Amino acid sequence: MVIRSERADEYQAVEDLVYDVFKGTKFSDGFLERELVKEIRSSKNFIPKLSIVAVSDSGQIIGHIMMSKFPLSGKNEDKVLLLSPVSVDPAYQNQGIGMKMIETGLDMAEEMGFLGVIVEGSPRYYGKTGFLNYTEFGLSKAADIPGDYLMAQELVKDGFKGIEGEVDFAIYKCLA
């Protein structure tokens, strides 16, 4: 398996994977996550290097994560990232592929000078890579985001120090 940045000729395969991963879950039909990937790619927040895929030895894309610039209350878009979505082909889940992609992305983001990352998801899962509840960093959130599932991680010591603003996913039409 190889973990690397996604190529433009892989966009459709990634969108198909994202849809397939989320379509059967209890919380999504897959359309939202696929649209999020497309919307991020067409926005100023897209960072091609941080759209990461896991590719099997046979050349099949089996996983994808995306980190994009994420302004808090319209500020700090060059300092904070959003990690979303995280997708692993069900046939390859529970093998650490998602964690490896996230760890690779976090390392790359730190090297690029970003200070912190926001994610909405399972504390049990994301806590394994160092994400903590957003309140640990003095961040606030939009009312419609479940607090237990909103997490953040600093990429450098005190990365969120002095960064203020509200986490609000409504910057993307598909999430509004």
Side-chain angles (χ1 to χ4, degrees):
M1 176 183 66
V2 175
I3 295 176
R4 60 167 171 75
S5 297
E6 167 193 50
R7 298 186 315 247
D9 65 339
E10 297 170 322
Y11 285 4
Q12 187 61 56
V14 166
E15 291 168 21
D16 292 346
L17 170 73
V18 170
Y19 172 76
D20 288 342
V21 167
F22 285 96
K23 72 178 177 186
T25 63
K26 61 183 173 187
F27 52 86
S28 180
D29 60 7
F31 290 105
L32 178 104
E33 290 79 9
R34 181 175 62 195
E35 289 306 308
L36 178 61
V37 167
K38 291 164 71 172
E39 191 173 343
I40 289 172
R41 280 195 193 123
S42 67
S43 78
K44 66 179 182 173
N45 298 323
F46 181 51
I47 307 168
K49 185 176 180 179
L50 294 178
S51 187
I52 297 168
V53 292
V55 182
S56 71
D57 294 338
S58 66
Q60 176 188 357
I61 295 175
I62 58 174
H64 172 258
I65 69 163
M66 182 178 269
M67 291 186 188
S68 55
K69 294 177 184 178
F70 192 65
L72 301 175
S73 298
K75 303 178 288 191
N76 300 303
E77 63 270 358
D78 293 325
K79 297 178 184 176
V80 179
L81 297 170
L82 171 66
L83 168 60
S84 186
V86 174
S87 309
V88 177
D89 184 313
Y92 293 88
Q93 290 179 0
N94 300 311
Q95 298 178 31
I97 294 168
M99 287 294 145
K100 287 178 185 160
M101 289 189 299
I102 292 169
E103 289 166 358
T104 298
L106 293 172
D107 289 344
M108 291 168 71
E110 181 181 354
E111 288 172 14
M112 294 172 75
F114 290 97
L115 303 179
V117 180
I118 304 288
V119 68
E120 182 182 13
S122 166
R124 232 176 83 226
Y125 182 77
Y126 292 103
K128 294 176 187 176
T129 56
F131 282 90
L132 302 170
N133 190 279
Y134 74 102
T135 58
E136 298 288 324
F137 305 104
L139 301 172
S140 60
K141 66 175 183 68
D144 58 339
I145 301 172
D148 291 347
Y149 288 86
L150 185 60
M151 305 182 75
Q153 182 176 153
E154 293 177 322
L155 297 174
V156 297
K157 184 171 174 36
D158 296 326
F160 281 108
K161 188 172 186 168
I163 292 180
E164 297 176 350
E166 181 179 76
V167 175
D168 187 355
F169 298 119
I171 66 165
Y172 294 111
K173 292 177 189 171
C174 68
L175 299 178

